[in-house]
Amino acid sequence: MSKVYLEYNPFKLETIIRIEDEPVRENSVLNVGNKRLQEWIDDLPTYLYEECNENEFELEFMGTKMDFEDIEEVVLKARKHDIRICLTHIPVRELDHMEQRIEELFQEIIQGPIEELKTEDLKSTFEQALNDEFEITVVATMSAGKSTLINALLQQKIMPSSQEACTATISRIKDVDQQTFTAIPHSILGDQLDAIEAVTLDQMTNLNSDENISMVELNGNIPFTDSKETSLVLIDTPGPNNSRDENHLKMTYKNLSESSKTLVLYILNATQLGVDDDSKLLKTVAESMKVGGKQSKDRYLFVVNKLDQFRKGEDDVEVSLNKVRKYLADRGIHDPNIFPAAALPALDIRLLMNQVDEIDEDLEFEISAATRKLNHNKQLHLERYATLTPSISHKMDQRLKEVENDDIYNKESALIHSGIPAIEETIKLYVDKYARTAKVKNIVDTFQQKLESSLAFEKMKESIAKQTDQHTIIQKQIVMLTEKIEQGNESKAFKEKIEAIDPVTQIKEKSREILTEQNRQIGDKTAGSQNKKFEMQEAEEFVGKLLMTAKDHHAILHANLELTIEKSLNRVAFDLLKGYREKIEHLMDGMAIEGLAFEPYDLIEGELEFNQHAIQQLIIKESVKVGEERYKNPEREGFLGFFKFLKPKTLVRDIYEEKQYINGQELIDLFLTDIEENTRKSIDKICKEAGQITNQIKENYAKKFQEVDRLLVEKLQELNRFTENAKNIESLLEISHQNLMWLHEMEKKIKAIIELEAIKFEEELSIDYTTL
């Protein structure tokens, strides 16, 4: 049995693995580099087996509770493959401690002696990092109970949830810890309309039904989370066929794509699976889950709603959930995170507990009946079926112990059994594991960058001051460098590099790939209809279905193009910064300057209008037999006719009438031509706008670089003061020395924030050393 030591720092993305106290080989599969633990942890048992050629291990893990639980899960699964791992945990300081230290050190920096660290730039960067939003996309098809579930999370009725008022706008619900919600509507033209304070359900219903409203921002309290830790945002998206704005569908696909890091609540109706719209979205989900390891899987919570509608003895929750798993597996989604839920009873119970609304007797009776059902029917203790980590499972058990009694009308226990609290705790865990750790890292990186710049400057001052015999030469060098910067002669090559940057070509190549795939998929939809003759109503229905397919694919095309543009523009920014740094290094002969900070830029959204096709121009007039009729034989009529008894009394003749048909091939050709033409126009527009954005970025960077050049000149002039008379230098040197000491101390403190610090067992009684 090999002894394995694993240490993982989620803030620095650093992993240390030792086997029998020896570090793993450089070319070992266990040398995982700077990858997030969740990207490779599923393969750990296999890696250990390949490395040691045995199947029993003692594994000691040093890291956070959240990461330890991921390893626990992997260790349990490894048993199925006959790999046994005895696991123990060395607990460390957790997130709350680090965030508290960051706040304290920021105040120290602001109150410190270095003026250049007190800039508005640093303050805004720090505040922005603290207030970074974390988005949760809520996706569902018709009648899955999406709005009811959101209301249950908000603990009040704010989102329209009746069948007649399905979500048609997009709502962006941000946690700002205020008890009432403020609604800020946006028109379909993008204009921000007057805010509605303390918005009501009726007002939200009116906004939802208003065809001129595209999006509503809602600012209020999301009770299960603290906005001081993370600014949570719930994005309530319309169903695929219920959106009046194509941008909504595009946003949904973009948030489901593999490039997105948003958490996704995918709500399924337990009583109604197999909707076509589900299949379209789930295909995108399956593709997204194939990359990124455990984090990709973690970010999808499949909420199976309406399980409270099952009848005892007639329906089986476990059987239904297995059907859901098979349904998802058939669409490429394996081992999903399943969360059974009864959203409506949870909402009603919370309304009654919080006394948000006046509850009439009939509704109170219904709530009591639902409460009794959830408590009495153990099959509806839905938290038991959820994909929970050990800590959340333990937390649910503890909450039940605190509130449970013999009263079958106990609302607190019924609420837990509804499955909603388990979903809330899982959301919080995901945010802690991925969003908050990234936030800590970003803030620390910002502080370090600023400190390193100040340290380098103070060291340069000290170095210049001490080289008294070189002061005349240094003065000449400073003058020369100042002239180079002010004249800009050394910047010509750099400016040429800036002008040469062009991401549009890459975007066009990507758009051609996407367009080809779109045409192929639409072609599959029209296969077999080329030789068909459509009647008018059939043609309209056929085109309607094709339009929905094209709209869906066009949303995917735009989402993919946006991601391509985002990557391309990020590359532009990187190239600009790299080129500027090369310029500065050449000018300054290795002297460091303060690092540049740049803000992300909004992307331009393309839009394609789907117009009904001119079906009338394809009409073909053709005489078609539509039936038969009998008529009297004229040869049997009259006196002579009586004797022609061998002739039939009646004859049969075909009935013809003029009907209108549409040729299938011509209809399909017109449709494809129209779609391709409009899509190409849209792509050209996107490319044009991407070029405009690129030019804007170049202009902004040029202004930023001019500002930094000015700052460089100021710093050179300050350095020059250290080459003047000795008396003046001595006093300046003393100040610089004090600054250096302070900076070194701050640097140690900053670096220490994200170092793993083991804590003693008695300090953290909630942490158990676990042996499996």
Side-chain angles (χ1 to χ4, degrees):
M1 180 182 290
S2 295
K3 291 184 178 180
V4 180
Y5 173 81
L6 169 57
E7 179 182 314
Y8 173 66
N9 187 325
F11 309 98
K12 299 169 71 175
L13 298 184
E14 287 182 356
T15 303
I16 297 172
I17 299 179
R18 293 197 296 267
I19 300 176
E20 300 294 351
D21 289 330
E22 293 292 328
V24 296
R25 295 172 288 109
E26 191 172 328
N27 60 348
S28 168
V29 288
L30 287 168
N31 198 340
V32 294
N34 294 324
K35 290 182 180 178
R36 183 175 285 281
L37 177 89
Q38 287 72 22
E39 291 182 52
W40 57 268
I41 194 62
D42 285 338
D43 296 317
L44 177 64
T46 305
Y47 289 168
L48 289 174
Y49 178 80
E50 291 177 4
E51 186 74 15
C52 303
N53 197 26
E54 59 178 295
N55 61 355
E56 290 191 9
F57 303 92
E58 288 183 8
L59 175 59
E60 186 178 51
F61 173 72
M62 180 172 174
T64 65
K65 287 183 285 187
M66 299 176 294
D67 293 323
F68 176 64
E69 288 187 340
D70 287 338
I71 296 176
E72 275 187 306
E73 181 185 341
V74 170
V75 166
L76 287 171
K77 288 180 180 178
R79 286 185 172 184
K80 298 177 182 178
H81 303 283
D82 200 30
I83 298 177
R84 301 185 68 81
I85 302 173
C86 295
L87 177 64
T88 57
H89 182 210
I90 303 174
V92 298
R93 298 288 183 190
E94 297 285 343
L95 260 173
D96 290 342
H97 171 77
M98 294 178 176
E99 289 178 333
Q100 181 183 343
R101 288 294 296 133
I102 284 175
E103 290 273 7
E104 293 168 356
L105 286 176
F106 178 69
Q107 293 305 319
E108 280 193 57
I109 289 172
I110 295 301
Q111 295 167 12
I114 311 298
E115 290 301 318
E116 63 191 46
L117 292 178
K118 302 178 184 182
T119 62
E120 288 300 319
D121 181 40
L122 180 61
K123 290 179 185 177
S124 63
T125 301
F126 176 72
E127 288 168 2
Q128 183 181 350
L130 281 181
N131 298 318
D132 266 355
E133 296 177 351
F134 182 79
E135 295 181 347
I136 301 175
T137 302
V138 188
V139 179
T141 47
M142 203 78 150
S143 72
K146 172 168 58 69
S147 296
T148 302
L149 186 133
I150 292 175
N151 286 336
L153 296 176
L154 300 178
Q155 300 189 18
Q156 58 180 295
K157 285 185 178 180
I158 194 76
M159 306 304 296
S161 58
S162 67
Q163 190 65 33
E164 294 78 20
C166 291
T167 308
T169 63
I170 195 164
S171 294
R172 200 170 186 279
I173 308 163
K174 182 175 179 179
D175 184 27
V176 296
D177 289 345
Q178 65 181 34
Q179 290 309 309
T180 60
F181 276 89
T182 300
I184 305 172
H186 294 254
S187 74
I188 55 176
L189 300 176
D191 300 324
Q192 181 174 307
L193 307 180
D194 292 338
I196 304 173
E197 302 288 344
V199 67
T200 64
L201 175 62
D202 288 341
Q203 288 171 319
M204 282 298 297
T205 302
N206 292 335
L207 290 173
N208 183 62
S209 60
D210 189 338
E211 294 186 355
N212 295 313
I213 302 299
S214 175
M215 192 264 282
V216 179
E217 288 182 65
L218 277 168
N219 297 322
N221 184 37
I222 301 179
F224 67 87
T225 185
D226 186 349
S227 64
K228 292 179 181 177
E229 293 176 351
T230 302
S231 191
L232 211 64
V233 177
L234 294 173
I235 299 178
D236 182 17
T237 60
N241 290 335
N242 200 43
S243 170
R244 67 172 67 102
D245 188 338
E246 189 190 325
N247 286 327
H248 297 167
L249 187 57
K250 180 191 69 178
M251 176 182 284
T252 299
Y253 277 111
K254 187 177 179 183
N255 287 351
L256 293 179
S257 73
E258 63 187 57
S259 298
S260 175
K261 298 301 179 188
T262 60
L263 184 65
V264 177
L265 292 186
Y266 199 110
I267 306 172
L268 297 160
N269 185 343
T271 65
Q272 182 186 355
L273 294 174
V275 182
D276 285 343
D277 302 329
D278 257 345
S279 297
K280 295 173 186 176
L281 294 175
L282 289 173
K283 181 182 177 183
T284 304
V285 171
E287 291 172 355
S288 172
M289 289 177 70
K290 289 176 184 175
V291 299
K294 192 177 187 305
Q295 183 175 358
S296 290
K297 175 175 167 285
D298 282 354
R299 81 181 187 96
Y300 288 99
L301 310 185
F302 293 94
V303 179
V304 185
N305 196 23
K306 301 193 177 183
L307 283 166
D308 55 299
Q309 296 182 9
F310 286 2
R311 295 175 180 271
K312 187 176 182 180
E314 295 181 15
D315 301 298
D316 187 281
V317 171
E318 188 63 56
V319 170
S320 298
L321 293 178
N322 285 334
K323 287 180 182 177
V324 170
R325 290 187 181 93
K326 185 179 184 306
Y327 170 72
L328 294 175
D330 290 343
R331 285 149 184 80
I333 297 171
H334 302 281
D335 195 22
N337 295 316
I338 297 288
F339 292 84
L344 183 56
L347 171 61
D348 287 341
I349 289 170
R350 279 180 160 167
L351 291 177
L352 189 60
M353 290 171 64
N354 299 338
Q355 297 181 336
V356 174
D357 293 326
E358 291 185 11
I359 307 292
D360 59 40
E361 289 185 7
D362 291 339
L363 180 56
E364 190 167 352
F365 177 80
E366 288 180 21
I367 297 172
S368 295
T371 300
R372 184 183 188 281
K373 186 177 181 181
L374 287 168
N375 284 326
H376 183 68
N377 187 354
K378 291 187 178 180
Q379 191 182 167
L380 291 180
H381 292 188
L382 301 180
E383 78 283 359
R384 296 188 304 147
Y385 307 94
T387 311
L388 302 180
T389 64
S391 65
I392 296 177
S393 182
H394 178 70
K395 190 175 288 187
M396 292 296 102
D397 290 342
Q398 286 296 111
R399 286 177 63 174
L400 275 173
K401 286 179 183 178
E402 291 170 5
V403 302
E404 222 167 15
N405 52 43
D406 294 332
D407 182 8
I408 58 172
Y409 295 103
N410 184 329
K411 297 178 184 60
E412 288 89 350
S413 59
L415 182 61
I416 294 170
H417 295 323
S418 75
I420 298 300
I423 294 170
E424 293 170 341
E425 290 296 333
T426 302
I427 290 172
K428 288 168 63 178
L429 179 64
Y430 184 94
V431 170
D432 288 350
K433 189 186 295 184
Y434 299 112
R436 287 177 68 194
T437 53
K439 178 181 76 173
V440 168
K441 177 69 164 57
N442 290 338
I443 294 174
V444 168
D445 283 349
T446 300
F447 285 174
Q448 278 192 280
Q449 185 181 20
K450 298 291 185 182
L451 287 173
E452 286 170 4
S453 173
S454 296
L455 269 169
F457 192 48
E458 295 298 332
K459 286 176 181 177
M460 196 181 301
K461 290 177 184 177
E462 193 174 58
S463 177
I464 288 175
K466 289 179 180 179
Q467 298 180 49
T468 54
D469 58 334
Q470 299 290 320
H471 281 181
T472 303
I473 297 172
I474 292 171
Q475 286 175 349
K476 289 181 179 179
Q477 288 180 337
I478 289 174
V479 171
M480 180 183 68
L481 289 171
T482 303
E483 288 177 352
K484 281 185 177 181
I485 294 169
E486 291 176 340
Q487 291 173 3
N489 293 332
E490 300 291 329
S491 301
K492 288 181 181 178
F494 167 67
K495 291 176 181 177
E496 288 173 0
K497 282 183 181 180
I498 290 180
E499 291 305 316
I501 295 172
D502 179 19
V504 174
T505 302
Q506 181 184 349
I507 295 168
K508 284 184 176 179
E509 289 175 1
K510 184 65 177 178
S511 65
R512 281 194 289 268
E513 292 175 17
I514 297 171
L515 183 58
T516 300
E517 177 61 17
Q518 174 186 281
N519 289 343
R520 184 191 67 76
Q521 292 188 24
I522 293 177
D524 291 342
K525 289 282 184 182
T526 60
S529 301
Q530 290 87 345
N531 299 322
K532 187 174 180 179
K533 291 180 179 178
F534 290 94
E535 293 186 18
M536 282 295 295
Q537 185 176 352
E538 285 182 309
E540 290 174 358
E541 290 174 357
F542 180 66
V543 169
K545 289 179 180 178
L546 288 181
L547 280 172
M548 289 305 302
T549 300
K551 181 180 179 182
D552 192 66
H553 286 299
H554 185 257
I556 297 173
L557 179 143
H558 268 238
N560 288 335
L561 273 185
E562 274 203 4
L563 293 170
T564 302
I565 291 170
E566 188 174 348
K567 290 176 183 177
S568 299
L569 296 183
N570 284 340
R571 185 70 202 177
V572 168
F574 176 81
D575 288 344
L576 287 169
L577 193 57
K578 181 183 176 183
Y580 185 75
R581 283 174 178 166
E582 289 173 356
K583 169 203 163 185
I584 295 303
E585 284 172 6
H586 175 65
L587 281 172
M588 301 294 292
D589 293 327
M591 284 192 281
I593 65 163
E594 186 175 2
L596 298 177
F598 57 91
E599 297 177 356
Y601 296 88
D602 294 333
L603 302 177
I604 299 299
E605 296 181 357
E607 185 176 334
L608 173 64
E609 292 293 337
F610 281 94
N611 299 313
Q612 289 294 329
H613 299 280
I615 294 176
Q616 295 293 330
Q617 64 182 344
L618 301 176
I619 290 177
I620 303 168
K621 292 185 178 180
E622 181 180 349
S623 291
V624 180
K625 179 179 177 180
V626 294
E628 295 179 338
E629 67 177 356
R630 301 189 75 82
Y631 63 99
K632 290 181 179 179
N633 189 341
E635 294 185 55
R636 292 290 302 270
E637 292 181 354
F639 178 75
L640 295 176
F642 176 79
F643 297 100
K644 296 180 181 180
F645 51 84
L646 294 178
K647 299 287 185 179
K649 287 185 178 181
T650 60
L651 297 175
V652 177
R653 65 185 175 193
D654 294 331
I655 301 173
Y656 287 85
E657 66 180 39
E658 191 175 80
K659 294 193 73 174
Q660 295 181 340
Y661 282 92
I662 297 173
N663 180 275
Q665 185 63 61
E666 292 187 21
L667 177 61
I668 291 167
D669 288 345
L670 175 66
F671 177 84
L672 290 176
T673 300
D674 189 23
I675 290 297
E676 186 166 339
E677 180 183 354
N678 281 290
T679 304
R680 288 188 184 282
K681 286 180 180 178
S682 181
I683 290 171
D684 289 342
K685 182 182 178 183
I686 289 172
C687 290
K688 180 180 179 182
E689 289 171 337
Q692 291 172 347
I693 297 172
T694 303
N695 291 334
Q696 186 62 48
I697 289 176
K698 291 177 183 179
E699 289 177 14
N700 290 342
Y701 265 78
K703 291 176 183 176
K704 181 68 176 178
F705 296 152
Q706 288 174 3
E707 175 63 20
V708 175
D709 283 349
R710 184 192 63 76
L711 180 63
L712 275 176
V713 171
E714 288 182 2
K715 287 192 172 186
L716 287 171
Q717 291 172 348
E718 187 173 347
L719 290 175
N720 198 39
R721 293 171 59 198
F722 283 76
T723 65
E724 296 172 355
N725 64 74
K727 186 178 180 181
N728 188 38
I729 290 174
E730 189 174 335
S731 62
L732 290 173
L733 197 55
E734 178 60 28
I735 295 171
S736 181
H737 181 68
Q738 293 297 325
N739 287 348
L740 269 173
M741 289 178 61
W742 183 87
L743 286 166
H744 279 302
E745 185 62 27
M746 289 303 301
E747 188 178 39
K748 288 179 185 177
K749 290 180 180 180
I750 293 292
K751 288 180 177 178
I753 290 176
I754 55 175
E755 294 295 338
L756 294 184
E757 181 184 353
I759 56 176
K760 295 178 181 179
F761 181 73
E762 59 267 19
E763 291 182 34
E764 189 72 25
L765 294 177
S766 61
I767 301 289
D768 293 323
Y769 289 97
T770 304
T771 302
L772 299 177

